[in-house]
Amino acid sequence: MVDVQNQLDAVTREIASAEIDGYPARVQTLAQTYPSPIDDVWDAVTSAARIARWFQPITGDLRLGGRYQIEGNAGGEIQECTPPADGSARFTATWEYGGGATWLTVRLTAEGDAETRFELEHVARTDDVPAEFWDVYGPGATGVGWDGGLLGLGLHLTAGDGPSPEEAEAWAFTDEGRAFYRGAADAWGAAHAADGADPAVAARAADNTYAFYTGEPTTAAAEE
């Protein structure tokens, strides 16, 4: 059983506009503090064997300059890799999917000896995300997926394993899974509105994101 509300409340979410190398971009950030020391969290997010236990199987060379491929998902290149030292660690990688590229940065910060703050930043150039896709789903399309990743990481760190991809897919159709995806979609809708989106547009995008993740028809297209 997952304490859905506790997990939703444990994550902070933000969407912000930025300029990257002269291009307008959107920056999505999620953060959660886990009851595990930084060395253990670092190993969980950089070891292929452990990533497969809470996210999805991954192959490749998980070192600086190496390339990786997540089964059935994105691949990319490791652009920065700084193991834990003086209470912090980080890595940056490209996230290449469907012919496009975005960028991920994961930052870890030790909070005492037994807790670690995990922060994931996902940057996409605005022009690289189809306008019609953003209009329908907003930031929830990717944000809710990362919410699921943070849930899986938490289960792995506390219980030893997260759900398999097949189990996670089946869970989405349970009452508990639907409550999680509803809450995560609404949380991204709130973050969308906080970044300046019209609240009605943000709420509609949240509804569409929830429908997408739970296999329901999209409730409404974005209005012109």
Side-chain angles (χ1 to χ4, degrees), residues 46 48 58-69 76-79 81 93:
T46 59
I58 184 171
T59 57
D61 186 6
L62 303 186
R63 295 182 296 176
L64 183 63
R67 291 193 62 83
Y68 72 92
Q69 178 63 53
E77 179 182 344
I78 310 299
Q79 298 184 319
C81 186

Side-chain angles (χ1 to χ4, degrees), residues 1-11 32 147-148 150-156 158-159 161-163 167-168 171-172 174-181:
M1 298 290 290
V2 174
D3 188 333
V4 169
Q5 195 58 53
N6 183 66
Q7 174 61 29
L8 293 170
D9 292 343
V11 178
Q32 181 172 351
D147 258 285
L150 267 64
L151 169 61
L153 178 58
L155 293 172
H156 171 66
T158 57
D161 277 306
E167 290 170 335
W171 182 73
T174 66
D175 289 344
E176 189 176 75
R178 290 178 184 276
F180 174 78
Y181 286 111

Side-chain angles (χ1 to χ4, degrees), residues 56-139:
Q56 289 175 307
I58 184 171
T59 57
D61 186 6
L62 303 186
R63 295 182 296 176
L64 183 63
R67 291 193 62 83
Y68 72 92
Q69 178 63 53
I70 297 171
E71 186 176 296
N73 205 315
E77 179 182 344
I78 310 299
Q79 298 184 319
E80 180 183 358
C81 186
T82 306
D86 300 322
S88 65
R90 63 180 281 158
F91 70 80
T92 299
T94 59
W95 183 261
E96 302 169 19
Y97 185 79
T102 54
W103 296 267
L104 295 181
T105 297
V106 169
R107 302 181 183 90
L108 304 182
T109 305
E111 297 189 347
D113 294 331
E115 291 190 328
T116 302
R117 183 177 189 271
F118 170 99
E119 180 183 275
L120 184 149
E121 179 183 273
H122 192 170
V123 178
R125 288 184 295 205
T126 304
D127 291 344
D128 290 343
V129 179
E132 61 274 17
F133 185 85
W134 180 265
D135 289 344
V136 172
Y137 297 107

